[in-house]
């Protein structure tokens, strides 16, 4: 099975190479601003803007005619070309978002990029893109050392099971990274190593996840909560940064220290999520998750920080493609399925359950169980008893609003780049 996969390595450039990296990032930023200015000029006159191809043709003509652009040859042509493509994609996404054809938060019109106020990045799509040992080779930049070994990708390239499509260089917390987007031929098994095994997973704020599997085991994976752990350090770094004079060298140093703290928080969270999801995907053939409205949950001012610190959305995304790579599947329970309010013993459902009630007490059968464990057992029951019904065969069992038809659910991992649960509008039930 061919999938799109990224391999990311931290670079260790020499001083001259780091200056070249800064130059390429500045060239990409200049090309973006140059193209956006031309698009705005045309939109004001004709009501439409240039495409990425048109901007590239205009740039090729302008860079030779304008002596002020004589420096363009110091950088790879990909830095300019890919910036125009990114601008074209941003404009098209803006139109789709405005028409309601694009999911997610409504996008605004693209804005100009300012040095120090935007992310430094550029991309290569052609030229020498290689890796070997502790080095990578990039166009115009040559061979650059890396902090870690690249043998995992190098072996795939040698065996012919991977092909590099592009390389994106970014700067995060004063460190440069290169991310190779590859088309990888993965050997996906026809069936999971443990067929028939299933687990219900409840994502929570106190623990990263609580699971109940088909063997009767209940387990809890406690999240590191990196943001909560680093709050004191972040507050001190923010106060120190605010006291520095704007434009001074001390302010740049304090900004670097603050960025390193934030980068460590993100790295610790990502590492914990990868370890937990990899273990679940390799151990269970079927993983049942709740289809959480994470964006809506983040509007809760009391819980938004704790929810964001756990990374619910990233956990669901990782499980989607990792289970597929292991020959398993992910089942997404209906968004309005009351897993926490339903008794896992008798099936009675409570009308209301406060978030402060961490222990579930059933008034019908007298069951006393941890709230998260009870939800995990209920989710496991969906996989054991009604997997075929839930897995893309019809609408949700819970009735919707009056005058609206049900939604057909298609849980599981989709194609590369589209992992997650797909919801498609089905025809109204006769």
């Amino acid at each position: 099975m061919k999938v799109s996969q990224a391999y990311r390595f931290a670079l260790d450039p020499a001083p001259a190479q780091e200056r070249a990296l800064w130059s390429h990032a500045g060239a990409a930023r200049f090309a973006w601003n140059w193209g956006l200015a031309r698009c705005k000029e045309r939109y004001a006159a004709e009501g439409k803007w240039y495409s990425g191809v048109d901007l590239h043709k205009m740039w090729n003509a302008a860079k030779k005619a304008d002596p002020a652009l004589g420096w363009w040859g110091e950088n790879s042509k990909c830095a300019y070309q890919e910036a125009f493509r990114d601008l074209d994609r941003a404009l098209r996404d803006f139109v789709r978002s405005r028409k309601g054809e694009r999911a997610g938060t409504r996008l605004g019109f693209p804005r100009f990029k300012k040095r120090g106020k935007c992310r430094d990045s550029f991309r290569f799509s052609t030229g020498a893109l290689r890796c070997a040992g502790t080095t990578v080779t990039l166009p115009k930049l040559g061979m650059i050392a890396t902090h870690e070994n690249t043998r995992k990708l190098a072996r795939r390239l040698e065996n012919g099971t991977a092909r590099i499509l592009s390389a994106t260089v970014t700067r995060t917390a004063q460190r440069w990274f290169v991310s190779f987007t590859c088309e990888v031929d993965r050997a996906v098994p026809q069936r999971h190593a443990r067929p028939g095994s299933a687990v219900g997973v409840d994502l929570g704020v106190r623990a990263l996840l609580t699971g109940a599997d088909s063997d009767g085991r209940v387990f809890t994976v406690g999240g590191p909560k990196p943001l909560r752990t680093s709050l004191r350090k972040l507050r001190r770094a923010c106060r120190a940064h605010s006291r520095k004079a704007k434009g001074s060298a001390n302010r740049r140093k304090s900004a670097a220290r603050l960025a390193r703290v934030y980068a460590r928080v993100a790295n610790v969270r990502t590492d914990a999520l990868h370890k937990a999801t990899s273990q679940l995907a390799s151990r269970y053939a079927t993983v049942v998750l709740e289809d959480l409205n994470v964006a809506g949950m983040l509007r809760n001012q009391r819980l938004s920080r704790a929810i964001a610190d756990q990374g619910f959305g990233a956990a669901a995304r990782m499980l989607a493609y990792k289970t597929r790579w292991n020959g398993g599947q992910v089942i997404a329970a209906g968004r309005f399925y009351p897993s926490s309010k339903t008794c896992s013993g008798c099936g009675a459902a409570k009308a209301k359950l406060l978030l402060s009630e961490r222990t579930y007490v059933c008034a019908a059968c007298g069951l006393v169980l941890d709230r998260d464990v009870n939800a995990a057992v209920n989710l496991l029951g969906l996989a054991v008893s009604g997997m075929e019904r839930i897995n893309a065969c019809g609408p949700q069992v819970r009735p919707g609003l009056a005058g609206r038809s049900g939604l057909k659910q298609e849980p599981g991992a989709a194609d590369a780049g589209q992992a997650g649960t797909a919801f498609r509008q089905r025809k109204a039930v006769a």
Side-chain angles (χ1 to χ4, degrees):
M1 179 180 67
K2 292 187 181 296
V3 299
S4 294
Q5 188 174 344
Y7 291 83
R8 186 168 179 257
F9 305 104
L11 299 177
D12 186 18
Q17 292 175 331
E18 188 169 5
R19 288 192 295 269
L21 291 172
W22 280 106
S23 178
H24 277 74
R29 184 173 60 250
F30 178 87
W32 170 283
N33 293 336
W34 186 89
L36 183 57
R38 300 301 178 277
C39 288
K40 283 192 170 185
E41 290 174 0
R42 186 181 184 187
Y43 189 80
E46 305 177 20
K48 57 182 179 179
W49 44 69
Y50 296 105
S51 65
V53 177
D54 296 335
L55 289 174
H56 194 212
K57 293 179 179 178
M58 294 171 59
W59 169 256
N60 287 337
K63 69 184 182 183
K64 299 176 182 178
D66 190 355
L69 300 177
W71 48 266
W72 71 269
E74 300 174 2
N75 308 293
S76 172
K77 64 178 182 179
C78 291
Y80 312 100
Q81 183 177 357
E82 295 300 322
F84 296 140
R85 290 179 178 176
D86 290 342
L87 177 59
D88 181 47
R89 188 181 302 110
L91 291 170
R92 286 187 282 108
D93 287 344
F94 164 71
V95 174
R96 292 177 57 238
S97 178
R98 196 175 178 182
K99 293 180 179 179
E101 300 173 357
R102 185 183 186 276
T105 308
R106 185 168 180 176
L107 299 179
F109 193 81
R111 293 183 289 183
F112 292 102
K113 295 183 178 181
K114 185 178 180 181
R115 181 180 180 181
K117 299 294 183 180
C118 65
R119 190 176 189 184
D120 296 312
S121 67
F122 55 94
R123 186 167 57 252
F124 298 106
S125 57
T126 58
L129 300 172
R130 296 188 295 269
C131 64
T134 56
T135 61
V136 295
T137 303
L138 301 175
K140 203 75 175 184
L141 299 172
M143 187 178 294
I144 305 176
T146 59
H147 284 279
E148 61 254 88
N149 203 302
T150 64
R151 60 179 176 272
K152 203 167 189 178
L153 175 58
R155 288 173 182 172
R156 286 189 173 274
L157 294 175
E158 292 175 1
N159 298 334
T161 57
R163 182 170 63 94
I164 297 178
L165 302 178
S166 64
T168 304
V169 181
T170 57
R171 188 180 70 91
T172 303
Q174 289 70 53
R175 176 170 286 186
W176 292 93
F177 296 88
V178 60
S179 178
F180 291 105
T181 302
C182 306
E183 184 184 63
V184 181
D185 188 9
R186 296 189 65 92
V188 178
Q190 294 293 332
R191 58 186 300 183
H192 196 270
R194 298 180 64 224
S197 58
V199 61
V201 177
D202 179 71
L203 300 174
V205 175
R206 291 193 173 184
L208 176 60
L209 58 90
T210 302
D213 61 16
S214 52
D215 296 331
R217 290 192 296 265
V218 176
F219 58 90
T220 300
V221 178
K225 301 178 181 177
L227 181 59
R228 180 179 177 181
T229 306
S230 305
L231 272 180
R232 185 171 181 270
K233 187 181 295 185
L234 280 171
R235 290 192 182 106
R236 291 172 63 91
C238 287
R239 283 198 300 266
H241 179 66
S242 65
R243 291 167 183 161
K244 303 296 187 294
K246 292 185 178 180
S248 64
N250 284 334
R251 188 174 178 88
R252 288 195 297 270
K253 293 177 183 178
S254 65
R257 285 193 293 268
L258 184 60
R260 285 194 292 268
V261 177
Y262 275 113
R264 175 171 174 77
V265 169
N267 291 337
V268 172
R269 180 186 300 118
T270 303
D271 179 69
L273 289 174
H274 272 297
K275 289 178 179 178
T277 54
S278 295
Q279 190 175 14
L280 286 175
S282 61
R283 183 173 295 182
Y284 301 104
T286 302
V287 181
V288 187
L289 285 174
E290 288 182 297
D291 179 30
L292 298 175
N293 181 15
V294 181
M297 296 169 67
L298 290 176
R299 297 191 187 102
N300 188 327
Q301 297 181 0
R302 295 183 178 181
L303 294 176
S304 59
R305 179 189 293 171
I307 293 171
D309 202 10
Q310 295 288 50
F312 290 170
R317 177 183 57 82
M318 291 178 184
L319 277 173
Y321 69 83
K322 288 182 181 181
T323 51
R324 189 185 185 190
W325 290 354
N326 285 273
Q329 64 172 340
V330 169
I331 294 179
R335 179 165 293 185
F336 300 103
Y337 174 69
S339 60
S340 298
K341 298 179 182 179
T342 304
C343 176
S344 58
C346 65
K350 291 188 176 183
K352 189 175 182 180
L353 184 65
L354 299 177
L355 290 175
S356 58
E357 300 180 33
R358 304 311 306 172
T359 303
Y360 185 89
V361 180
C362 181
C365 66
L367 176 70
V368 179
L369 195 62
D370 182 81
R371 175 197 183 106
D372 296 336
V373 175
N374 179 70
V377 174
N378 285 326
L379 292 173
L380 173 64
L382 295 180
V384 174
S385 62
M387 181 167 54
E388 293 299 325
R389 174 176 55 80
I390 297 168
N391 194 2
C393 74
Q396 302 176 19
V397 177
R398 185 182 177 98
L401 298 176
R404 297 187 183 182
S405 59
L407 293 178
K408 186 174 181 180
Q409 303 179 38
E410 296 188 3
D415 294 335
Q418 300 176 354
T421 304
F423 292 92
R424 296 179 183 175
Q425 187 72 29
R426 75 177 187 93
K427 295 181 180 179
V429 180

